[in-house]
Amino acid sequence: MRAVTESGVAIDLNEDGTWTAAKHGAAPFTEGFRKAYWGASRSEVKASEGSEPQLEQDEYLDFEVRLGRFKCLAAYIFVGDQLVRGKYLITEEYQNQNQFLTVYEELKGSIDKKYGSPYKDETYWLNDLYKDDYSEWGMAVGCGHLSKFSFWETSGSTINLGLFGENFDVQVSVEYAGKIFDGVEDALKEARLLGDL
């Protein structure tokens, strides 16, 4: 059976409950993560990277890459051997945790240049102990007191830039998700849970 998503992309629903992107001689999607289109297989992603992954699991492939001047991991997330999300995880280490705020702002500026202003830009304070002292904001992030998120949208993808931390471990990530696959991961997790009950 063939279905068409709200965004107009055709997918084939198989009798066993799995689905595949409908292909008609061309890539079914025009967007994706790095050089891979949404719905790409693991082998297609490996070919697009041109190297072996640092980590390979059932639902993930991780590659060491550079994003501009930053060292990072490029994580590809799959459901049913189809690429549904991709994420850059910055792996740079800094003595002064305020540097992570600089990294966040630099990446935000670059994403703004490519996609325009974010449709949502949020700063969350769970504890305002360091709120009035900018020189301690990096510490606030590392303690889990402060987090920042910005969101963009294209016709086929959502993009989320995040700065957050816990136990003095600060993370900066840029996540891309194929709109056509919204809810697919959650549905799979729920199906696994229900199968185990």
Side-chain angles (χ1 to χ4, degrees):
M1 171 190 286
R2 178 157 291 168
V4 178
T5 67
E6 288 179 9
S7 61
V9 177
I11 58 172
D12 291 326
L13 303 173
N14 304 314
E15 289 181 14
D16 64 0
T18 62
W19 49 268
T20 54
K23 296 183 181 179
H24 299 288
F29 309 109
T30 58
E31 294 185 29
F33 178 62
R34 291 177 58 79
K35 298 175 195 167
Y37 291 108
W38 298 130
S41 69
R42 296 166 67 83
S43 60
E44 289 171 324
V45 166
K46 286 179 184 179
S48 75
E49 283 293 338
S51 64
E52 285 300 309
Q54 177 186 355
L55 175 68
E56 184 169 355
Q57 295 180 343
D58 289 343
E59 297 169 357
Y60 302 96
L61 290 176
D62 290 348
F63 295 85
E64 287 185 350
V65 299
R66 293 198 70 80
L67 180 61
R69 67 181 182 92
F70 305 112
K71 292 187 300 182
C72 62
L73 285 179
Y76 291 86
I77 297 98
F78 298 86
V79 172
D81 197 36
Q82 292 193 306
L83 179 64
V84 297
R85 280 191 302 129
K87 182 184 285 192
Y88 290 111
L89 301 166
I90 304 302
T91 58
E92 298 280 349
E93 294 183 21
Y94 300 104
Q95 290 287 351
N96 180 347
Q97 290 187 322
N98 272 20
Q99 282 298 112
F100 289 105
L101 293 157
T102 302
V103 171
Y104 177 88
E105 292 301 329
E106 186 175 322
L107 288 172
K108 184 178 176 198
S110 295
I111 297 169
D112 279 349
K113 282 181 185 175
K114 184 167 185 177
Y115 299 107
S117 297
Y119 70 85
K120 186 158 79 168
D121 200 4
E122 301 289 338
T123 299
Y124 300 100
W125 286 93
L126 296 179
N127 181 324
D128 61 3
L129 177 66
Y130 300 109
K131 190 173 185 177
D132 295 330
D133 185 358
Y134 180 79
S135 69
E136 294 294 333
W137 280 22
M139 173 68 77
V141 174
C143 292
H145 296 182
L146 168 64
S147 57
K148 297 173 77 68
F149 298 94
S150 296
F151 300 87
W152 292 262
E153 194 171 45
T154 67
S155 61
S157 305
T158 57
I159 303 157
N160 172 10
L161 171 64
L163 169 69
F164 49 93
E166 185 175 40
N167 297 324
F168 303 101
D169 180 30
V170 177
Q171 295 289 314
V172 178
S173 68
V174 185
E175 180 175 292
Y176 296 76
K179 286 182 178 180
I180 186 171
F181 301 113
D182 280 351
V184 171
E185 284 181 275
D186 292 337
L188 179 63
K189 287 176 188 173
E190 182 178 18
R192 286 179 180 162
L193 173 65
L194 294 176
D196 290 342
L197 290 177

